[in-house]
Amino acid sequence: MNEAIKTAIKGVYYEFCGKRMQAIADLEILLQKTVGVGDHTDICKDIKQKYEEIDKYNSLLDTMNEQHHEITMGETDQRKAQPVEETKEDCGDSCDC
């Protein structure tokens, strides 16, 4: 896969991450702040919509991770992480290993 396609996939992934974070922030405001509740005549409907929006982005991100985990998860992908072996030189003089 060429670098332009990888960049495009990352861009879409980060867009979904940002929209998910915005929906979570909106939901937290709805749940924690009573100021402005008058603007929401059907608070349960608004809360439900935010949960549905979060679920949509969770699903999209999961799908992208399944299809392109080597791009979307990068170095944080635990499936590719290799254990680091320490040597005496890494520990310094204070270690008895």
Side-chain angles (χ1 to χ4, degrees), residues 8-14 16 59-70 72:
I9 290 170
K10 284 182 187 179
V12 171
Y13 182 81
Y14 292 130
F16 290 162
S59 178
L60 289 167
L61 292 168
D62 286 345
T63 300
M64 289 191 77
N65 285 329
E66 288 172 11
Q67 298 296 313
H68 304 288
H69 67 87
E70 71 283 354
T72 60

Side-chain angles (χ1 to χ4, degrees), residues 27 33-34 40-41 72 75 77 79:
L27 177 63
K33 306 290 182 192
T34 57
H40 300 277
T41 56
T72 60
E75 296 303 314
D77 186 354
R79 292 171 288 202

Side-chain angles (χ1 to χ4, degrees), residues 1 3-4 7 10 12 15 21 29-30 37 41 43 45-46 55-56 63-64 70 78-79 87 89-90:
M1 186 177 305
E3 290 303 312
T7 301
K10 284 182 187 179
V12 171
E15 177 185 350
M21 290 176 73
I29 291 167
L30 281 171
V37 170
T41 56
I43 191 76
K45 179 182 175 187
D46 294 338
D55 183 61
K56 175 180 101 174
T63 300
M64 289 191 77
E70 71 283 354
Q78 295 301 309
R79 292 171 288 202
T87 64
E89 293 80 32
D90 295 334

Side-chain angles (χ1 to χ4, degrees), residues 69-86:
H69 67 87
E70 71 283 354
I71 297 169
T72 60
M73 299 184 79
E75 296 303 314
T76 62
D77 186 354
Q78 295 301 309
R79 292 171 288 202
K80 296 193 306 187
Q82 299 296 320
V84 176
E85 293 184 30
E86 291 186 10

Side-chain angles (χ1 to χ4, degrees), residues 6-58:
K6 289 179 183 179
T7 301
I9 290 170
K10 284 182 187 179
V12 171
Y13 182 81
Y14 292 130
E15 177 185 350
F16 290 162
C17 287
K19 289 183 177 185
R20 178 183 174 272
M21 290 176 73
Q22 290 173 7
I24 290 170
D26 289 346
L27 177 63
E28 289 298 316
I29 291 167
L30 281 171
L31 297 176
Q32 295 179 7
K33 306 290 182 192
T34 57
V35 176
V37 170
D39 295 340
H40 300 277
T41 56
D42 190 350
I43 191 76
C44 291
K45 179 182 175 187
D46 294 338
I47 290 170
K48 178 182 169 188
Q49 287 175 338
K50 287 300 166 187
Y51 276 117
E52 289 171 345
E53 187 176 352
I54 293 166
D55 183 61
K56 175 180 101 174
Y57 288 113
N58 283 341

